[in-house]
Amino acid sequence: MNSDSAAPESAPTAERAPLVVGLGLRPDTSAARIVAAIREVLGECVIGAVATLDRRAAEPGVREAAVLLGVPVLAFAAETLAGVDVPNPGRRTRAAVGTGSVAEAAAILAARAPLTHPKRVVDGIVVAAATRR
């Protein structure tokens, strides 16, 4: 390819930089539900990684969803997530897992950037995203 050629469709550009998707979910959530929730919130945006609570990162549904999306899974301890300032913390989340945010905080930490998509709940799955810097 010479320098005058356009970048392939799949190559990230400034307009299509990869998103890091933060996920909050219950144990035993299927990959199909996870991918469907992500696509409902983000459409066909380019995804660079999924990020979540460490104890959810090893879940089969999360792992399979990452494989289907062709991205890595990034995991964070609840204590680390709890230190992130988020726009929409939840009392129930704090009581359940020890942090007021999983999806938003994981997206912010993994992308090292502010949220571009605040949390949205689809079929019981919390999805948030930030554009990776």
Side-chain angles (χ1 to χ4, degrees):
M1 180 187 308
N2 66 38
S3 61
D4 295 331
S5 298
E9 276 298 310
S10 62
T13 64
E15 303 84 43
R16 291 176 48 98
L19 292 174
V20 175
V21 179
L23 295 173
L25 43 89
R26 295 189 182 275
D28 301 318
T29 303
S30 73
R33 284 181 54 215
I34 294 167
V35 171
I38 290 169
R39 290 303 177 203
E40 183 170 326
V41 173
L42 302 174
E44 292 303 315
C45 288
V46 176
I47 297 170
V50 294
T52 192
L53 185 65
D54 54 6
R55 62 183 140 186
R56 296 292 181 259
E59 289 273 331
V62 172
R63 291 284 178 198
E64 185 181 339
V67 168
L68 292 170
L69 295 166
V71 300
V73 176
L74 307 175
F76 296 96
E79 297 79 23
T80 303
L81 295 172
V84 178
D85 187 29
V86 297
N88 304 295
R91 278 181 263 151
R92 286 189 311 180
T93 303
R94 185 177 316 283
V97 296
T99 176
S101 173
V102 173
E104 289 183 331
I108 290 167
L109 281 172
R112 296 185 182 125
L115 291 174
T116 53
H117 298 78
K119 76 177 181 181
R120 186 168 146 206
V121 181
V122 176
D123 191 23
I125 300 165
V126 184
V127 177
T131 301
R132 186 180 276 166
R133 288 192 179 177

